[in-house]
Amino acid sequence: MPLVDSATGKDLREFTVDQLMERANYMRGLNEIALCSAGSGHSGGTLGIMDICAALYLKIARHDPKVPGWDARDRIVWSAGHKAPALYTSLAISGYFEERELMKLRMVGSPFQGHPHWRDCPGVEFSTGSLGQGFSLGVGVALAARLNGRDHRVFVISSDGEQQEGSIWESAMSAAHYGLDNLILIIDKNRLQIDGAVQDVMGIDPLVEKYRSFNWEVVGVDGHDMDDIVTKLDHARNHNDTGRPIALICHTNKGRGVSFMENAVGWHGKPPNREELDLALEELGLDNAFNVEGLLEHGAAYRTRANADIAATMPSFTKDYWWNTSDQMKVEMQPARKGFGSALDKYGDDERIVCLGADISDSICISEFHKNHPNRRDRFISVGVAEQNATTIAAGLAREGKIPVFGTYGVFASTRNLDQLRVSVCYGNLNVLVVGAHGGISVGPDGATHQELEAIFQITGLPNMHMGVPCDIVETEKMTRAMLFDIVGPKYLRFAREATPIITKEDSPFRFGEGNIFRFRKSAEHFVEACDVVLASEYVNESEKLTIVSCGPETAEAARAAYILKTECDIEIRVLHLHTLKPIDRAAVVRAAHETGGVITAEEHQVGGLGNQIAGIIAGERSLENRPVPFAMIGVKDRFGESGEPWQLIKKFGLAAEHIAHKAKEMLNL
């Protein structure tokens, strides 16, 4: 069943096997140009699955690019959402939009988010990216088709690493239980995931036997033999009235067609630079198939327009105060995650410490625990893509006297396993350190599914929990050490992925549970020299006009706002940095409300995560009952994130120092 004109029911075009092979190769080249334009994204898996994509979108599935919502279309659900570039390339080749539009991949405001978002991009069935969920979505769609008496098919594209998620097997069980023979699961078995070979990270075999034991029909496919792909996909689509769902286990090579990417773990989530792109196109035999310069210029022009649109929304001042734009107030940028890794490297000899990796070990730096210490390797446990399992394993380790450290993307560390945190860790008051790395919008181009903007609500709401949100790499190392050894009980550490300003020093005060005061004193060559940093309990009141209460990397923006306000308006600002959100430094908040002219909270989070706590403290403090306290919040305004560079999103979402300073001027009627 090829592409269809839904109005007439006629086929739009019929492709031969040879033509499909040519199209698949062309799609690989287009895919790599888009990734180069984006400057981020997943090369390996998208190259590997492209033969299957060409056959599915151009030969097998019924769909109409002119009518994306055609009711009789086959549904294609990308459970492996990180392979979104292959999805977008398939849609472009099918005729949903012009090929050059792919050059906007992962850019701010683009419909081509880092992970699929159905509301923005015609042809996308579901917003996916959190592994394991797309399969269940497919089960729901297949059930709906049966209830509605429809004969369309539901294709679900999954990956082998994704089979490590427990929800995959719940889906497999329910699909078989309900006899969903209209459901076709395509498993891209390329044998590699971020942390290495699937069999080494968390083995999934014997996969064929597992699905058969769940009462599925299982068919093996050579994922690079087009004739075999077409034959097996056609069989699966016409798999009628058997009462069993069907799984196609497609054996592919990650990075297919490009020698330096093929079967290379490092190319899982990496785009080619321009030189690598030229080499890739040459190896694919596509040297002259594209106007590469023209395509890349289209993407660059879009990025320029997007930056200009964001700049137009920024509050203006007499000069540009953005980071490192002048010879004064220079700042060093480093990822906070390196402070976490450094602490594990330094203090990991303690035999009680056991680290659990969940397939992004190098990215979040938890692998620093063992990299330089082979003797610790047996205390590093790989769990694969299975956050709920990791959390409960950690609870079991803690009950036996270990100090388990489990880390993953913040969006998964705080949300996917919330019930496990609540019952297995917090209810038992067990000594588990959970690390929500890549918190906030710092994962940028990965988009909304991977941008954690809700963790403060979820984590601080858990009884017995401790929560730390350090501001930079230096403080992250201090916080990690404190959580490892000084705090006994459930604890959660949140930090960003992106390199952020270093605004503290080794000798800056740090005491878990107590805030720090940052006071801008003078313009200096280096920003870190411009502020005094004092423990809140030791700070002497200077009757500042306002207090900005902040946490995490947003404290750097708050300190920069203090610099802007002093320079522009000669206003003295107290910045209260709460690196510990549970227990929160109530006394420092009350003092600020008493001693300064008002309070603004600033957070790289849904507005209110920090702000509601501060408002609650002020509202509940009896000594403030007869004292009005002007109050405002800065944060993400009840929305999901989107793809874009992290600093673009800081500006677009109204989180920059300029926005804080503007709000302060409003409060002071300036």
Side-chain angles (χ1 to χ4, degrees), residues 543-547 592-593 595-599 627-630 667-668:
S543 300
E544 299 91 336
K545 289 287 187 181
L546 283 174
T547 296
E595 296 172 354
T596 69
V599 173
R627 186 186 187 286
V629 181
M667 287 181 65
L668 296 170

Side-chain angles (χ1 to χ4, degrees), residues 124-272:
V124 175
E125 293 291 350
F126 285 99
S127 302
T128 57
S130 184
L131 290 177
Q133 295 188 23
F135 190 178
S136 296
L137 289 168
V139 171
V141 174
L143 282 167
R146 172 177 292 175
L147 292 170
N148 293 333
R150 301 298 174 82
D151 66 352
H152 57 258
R153 298 293 178 263
V154 181
F155 296 88
V156 174
I157 296 176
S158 183
S159 62
D160 47 0
E162 190 176 17
Q163 308 304 301
Q164 295 159 356
E165 284 283 11
S167 59
I168 286 287
W169 299 101
E170 295 174 7
S171 303
M173 181 165 48
S174 59
H177 176 78
Y178 289 107
L180 298 179
D181 49 18
N182 57 345
L183 179 66
I184 299 127
L185 177 65
I186 298 170
I187 300 175
D188 179 18
K189 193 176 185 186
N190 60 35
R191 309 176 308 284
L192 297 177
Q193 57 189 106
I194 300 173
D195 273 5
V198 172
Q199 65 180 9
D200 296 332
V201 174
M202 178 59 63
I204 61 171
D205 283 324
L207 199 57
V208 171
E209 288 81 354
K210 285 178 180 176
Y211 273 95
R212 284 179 177 160
S213 73
F214 275 69
N215 200 29
W216 282 61
E217 180 180 339
V218 183
V219 177
V221 182
D222 181 338
H224 301 306
D225 181 331
M226 190 60 73
D227 189 59
D228 193 43
I229 295 169
V230 170
T231 299
K232 303 292 177 54
L233 278 173
D234 185 64
H235 163 71
R237 198 193 179 287
N238 295 300
H239 175 80
N240 297 319
D241 303 323
T242 66
R244 292 198 299 165
I246 184 169
L248 305 182
I249 299 181
C250 303
H251 300 272
T252 67
N253 293 330
K254 215 161 191 170
R256 174 72 172 188
V258 181
S259 62
F260 56 90
M261 298 182 185
E262 195 152 355
N263 293 319
V265 170
W267 281 96
H268 171 89
K270 181 181 173 183

Side-chain angles (χ1 to χ4, degrees), residues 499-540:
T500 54
I502 298 176
I503 58 172
T504 66
K505 304 177 184 177
E506 292 295 338
D507 61 357
S508 296
F510 176 85
R511 187 178 295 164
F512 188 88
E514 182 171 342
N516 283 345
I517 303 297
F518 283 71
R519 280 291 279 119
F520 174 74
R521 297 302 186 192
K522 62 184 179 181
S523 181
E525 182 180 358
H526 299 288
F527 193 95
V528 74
E529 304 292 344
C531 293
D532 290 340
V533 185
V534 184
L535 284 171
S537 62
E538 298 175 3
Y539 181 68
V540 178

Side-chain angles (χ1 to χ4, degrees), residues 93 152 261 294 402 493 542 581 584:
I93 294 297
H152 57 258
M261 298 182 185
K402 299 298 183 183
L493 174 60
E542 298 182 31
L581 293 185
I584 201 164

Side-chain angles (χ1 to χ4, degrees), residues 331-403:
V331 69
E332 182 184 354
M333 302 270 191
Q334 287 287 341
R337 54 198 162 116
K338 291 187 176 180
F340 168 62
S342 175
L344 293 178
D345 179 53
K346 285 183 181 179
Y347 308 119
D349 278 341
D350 189 310
E351 290 290 330
R352 295 173 298 167
I353 298 175
V354 179
C355 290
L356 293 91
D359 197 37
I360 55 168
S361 301
D362 284 349
S363 182
I364 72 168
C365 296
I366 197 171
S367 55
E368 295 300 313
F369 171 71
H370 66 79
K371 271 191 175 178
N372 299 316
H373 309 276
N375 59 307
R376 300 179 187 171
R377 194 63 182 82
D378 63 343
R379 288 188 284 124
F380 186 88
I381 299 170
S382 177
V383 296
V385 188
E387 299 84 6
Q388 295 164 321
N389 187 36
T391 303
T392 40
I393 288 174
L397 288 165
R399 186 68 179 84
E400 297 300 316
K402 299 298 183 183
I403 304 175

